[in-house]
Amino acid sequence: MNQGLANSYESANESARNIQQSFVTASIAGQRIGILIAEVQDVLNKQKIHKIPLSPPAVVGALNLRGRIVTALDLRLCLNLAPCAAPESAMSIVVEYENELYSLLVDEIGDVETPPSHLYERPPATLGPAWRTVCSGVYRMDEALLLTLDIANLLEVTVDGAVSQ
């Protein structure tokens, strides 16, 4: 019975890998990342960010987006990297998770890309623990790896402060 479930799970994963998906790309500390376009609410230039007292380190503050409060997260800190030098000057990708908006500060915004599905692989074992926690997979592109982010995992570990060193 367990073997049947495992085969069913692998079959479902194989089917999911054969579907081409589009990603909003960005870079963080020189690494290209991708967020499913369906998860992206907005892409923002620099915004006024208001500090939130006693917030977790990765929460750099909050901003107002068309009347909604958006929690601004320094993606560098979420990944145990050096903090963003000037959060108020950073570009960000806004995502929604559990009916809340989050602004992910990134170093640079890229293009929307739809990599061929045959280039998809599971996250390699060589990724550091923070990256491995938030990475749903990689695309081995000619120019560089494109790490795809699992937004749910990213926000769960960031809100809980559970990303390990």
Side-chain angles (χ1 to χ4, degrees), residues 29-91:
Q31 176 59 59
R32 285 182 27 159
I33 61 168
I35 299 172
L36 279 173
I37 198 164
E39 296 179 322
V40 174
Q41 299 292 315
D42 225 326
V43 175
L44 305 175
N45 282 322
K46 59 184 177 179
Q47 298 285 316
K48 181 172 177 134
I49 298 175
H50 303 276
K51 300 243 183 248
I52 300 173
L54 304 175
S55 61
V59 176
V60 293
L63 56 96
N64 183 334
L65 179 62
R66 295 183 290 279
R68 287 191 67 186
I69 301 300
V70 180
T71 303
L73 301 172
D74 186 341
L75 197 49
R76 288 173 148 274
L77 290 174
C78 295
L79 295 166
N80 294 326
L81 301 169
C84 180
E88 63 282 345
S89 299
M91 296 200 61

Side-chain angles (χ1 to χ4, degrees), residues 11-22:
S11 176
N13 278 344
E14 188 63 35
S15 295
R17 277 181 265 182
N18 291 330
I19 298 171
Q20 275 194 305
Q21 298 179 316
S22 295

Side-chain angles (χ1 to χ4, degrees), residues 2-164:
N2 287 341
Q3 184 63 32
L5 286 175
N7 289 340
S8 173
Y9 178 74
E10 282 301 317
S11 176
N13 278 344
E14 188 63 35
S15 295
R17 277 181 265 182
N18 291 330
I19 298 171
Q20 275 194 305
Q21 298 179 316
S22 295
F23 299 90
V24 173
T25 64
S27 67
I28 190 81
Q31 176 59 59
R32 285 182 27 159
I33 61 168
I35 299 172
L36 279 173
I37 198 164
E39 296 179 322
V40 174
Q41 299 292 315
D42 225 326
V43 175
L44 305 175
N45 282 322
K46 59 184 177 179
Q47 298 285 316
K48 181 172 177 134
I49 298 175
H50 303 276
K51 300 243 183 248
I52 300 173
L54 304 175
S55 61
V59 176
V60 293
L63 56 96
N64 183 334
L65 179 62
R66 295 183 290 279
R68 287 191 67 186
I69 301 300
V70 180
T71 303
L73 301 172
D74 186 341
L75 197 49
R76 288 173 148 274
L77 290 174
C78 295
L79 295 166
N80 294 326
L81 301 169
C84 180
E88 63 282 345
S89 299
M91 296 200 61
S92 63
I93 299 172
V94 178
V95 297
E96 186 171 359
Y97 177 69
E98 294 185 347
N99 296 318
E100 297 290 333
L101 292 177
Y102 296 90
S103 172
L104 307 175
L105 303 182
V106 296
D107 297 344
E108 188 176 296
I109 298 289
D111 295 321
V112 172
E113 293 186 29
T114 307
S117 59
H118 71 276
L119 297 179
Y120 176 83
E121 296 178 15
R122 292 180 186 197
T126 55
L127 283 178
W131 282 102
R132 211 173 25 253
T133 300
V134 301
C135 179
S136 59
V138 299
Y139 286 88
R140 290 194 183 271
M141 312 288 274
D142 288 337
E143 61 278 0
L145 285 180
L146 175 67
L147 281 88
T148 59
L149 295 186
D150 182 329
I151 296 301
N153 278 352
L154 171 71
L155 294 174
E156 284 175 16
V157 298
T158 299
V159 171
D160 295 340
V163 172
S164 60

